[in-house]
Amino acid sequence: MTQTRVLALGASRGVIGKTDGGIDQSILEAHGSYFVTLLTGKAVNADSTTQLIETAPQMFEEKLKNIETNDAPFPQVIKIGTLFSVAQVKALVSIPAFKTATVILDIEILLKEVSVETKNTILSAIREDILPHVTLLLGTVPDLKAIFENADIDILYPQNMADVTAFARTAQSLGPKNVLVKREIFDDEAGLTTLHFLLVVEEREEPVSIGKRFQSSGGVKGSAGIAATIAANLAEGKGIERAVGAAFTFIGDALKDGKYFT
């Protein structure tokens, strides 16, 4: 059976295992996926400060084009962690295979990496050019709120699960077929991590709510690996609900010993 290729776009901080790229690589390897990671920028200086080194638009576009060869087609699953400029957004959507790919966008990772000065322009480009093609949008409530503000959508901060569902449906109206609202709670004293997700699925009227508490080794952020795990599961042919459920199981096992995220 031919393996489905997964393209993971992320930022590099220079240390494998402590970068979006490193996390993606570990998870995709663990699932046996044929992966291609393309780092979009950022590096660590000798004094541990972070410096943005954006991949030039022409170089980024060339790298994207080089992914597709006669022997290996463009990946059918794309996991987007970070894009640092409007030019990178335009370069990605210009690839013909992008329009038919299964696209997973983790907006939390993106908003943490881009600068305050460029956030709104990049969000606008993502909202206009990428969201209409997204299979699954992941983010926290504040992340989705940032998208709504960028789109001039006035919506109150949710106070209960019904409000969170309405929040997710509003995000869905911007293009994504499915929306996953995530929340991660740490209890360092008890050594516990609680992951809670509310999934709004295209063909379902009622949302799917999943919450699990895991014993963890401390300092381990499980939600950082959720998008790549779901991407791997979708590449295996699982449906969206099964892909998310299987991701929970995988992340829970990883959190117990920090295997993939330390």
Side-chain angles (χ1 to χ4, degrees), residues 5-231:
R5 306 179 86 208
V6 177
L7 170 62
L9 299 173
S12 171
R13 298 185 192 86
V15 185
I16 200 76
K18 292 186 180 293
T19 69
D20 298 334
I23 290 172
D24 291 343
Q25 181 174 331
S26 296
I27 289 172
L28 294 171
E29 281 182 339
H31 282 79
S33 296
Y34 185 99
F35 65 91
V36 180
T37 55
L38 180 55
L39 303 178
T40 56
K42 224 157 214 193
V44 176
N45 295 323
D47 60 358
S48 297
T49 58
T50 303
Q51 175 186 358
L52 174 61
I53 305 177
E54 181 193 322
T55 303
Q58 297 85 351
M59 186 182 299
F60 181 71
E61 188 170 0
E62 190 63 31
K63 286 182 177 180
L64 284 171
K65 289 178 179 177
N66 288 341
I67 289 172
E68 185 170 13
T69 66
N70 292 331
D71 297 325
F74 199 86
Q76 299 98 314
V77 179
I78 301 173
K79 177 263 178 183
I80 302 173
T82 307
L83 294 168
F84 281 102
S85 68
V86 172
Q88 288 184 347
V89 172
K90 300 293 185 184
L92 178 61
V93 300
S94 71
I95 302 297
F98 175 80
K99 302 295 193 299
T100 57
T102 297
V103 181
I104 298 97
L105 170 61
D106 190 340
I107 199 70
E108 180 184 15
I109 300 297
L110 188 144
L111 291 177
K112 283 182 178 177
E113 296 292 347
V114 299
S115 67
V116 174
E117 294 78 16
T118 60
K119 184 178 78 170
N120 278 329
T121 55
I122 294 175
L123 267 181
S124 293
I126 285 173
R127 181 169 51 80
E128 294 168 7
D129 296 328
I130 290 182
L131 282 187
H133 304 284
V134 166
T135 303
L136 178 65
L137 170 67
L138 298 87
T140 65
V141 166
D143 300 329
L144 297 182
K145 182 72 171 172
I147 294 176
F148 298 151
E149 289 173 354
N150 179 266
D152 292 325
I153 295 174
D154 188 15
I155 184 169
L156 295 176
Y157 204 88
Q159 303 297 316
N160 51 49
M161 292 304 292
D163 290 349
V164 175
T165 301
F167 225 65
R169 291 291 183 198
T170 302
Q172 200 176 27
S173 71
L174 295 175
K177 294 179 181 177
N178 310 285
V179 177
L180 190 66
V181 185
K182 57 184 181 177
R183 185 184 184 200
E184 188 166 21
I185 305 169
F186 299 101
D187 186 340
D188 292 331
E189 188 173 329
L192 294 172
T193 296
T194 300
L195 290 175
H196 184 264
F197 293 83
L198 184 136
L199 174 66
V200 169
V201 182
E202 183 181 29
E203 64 274 9
R204 281 179 62 115
E205 185 174 339
E206 293 298 318
V208 178
S209 183
I210 307 171
K212 289 190 179 182
R213 181 172 292 178
F214 306 104
Q215 195 76 34
S216 67
S217 58
V220 177
K221 190 168 178 59
S223 65
I226 283 289
T229 312
I230 294 172

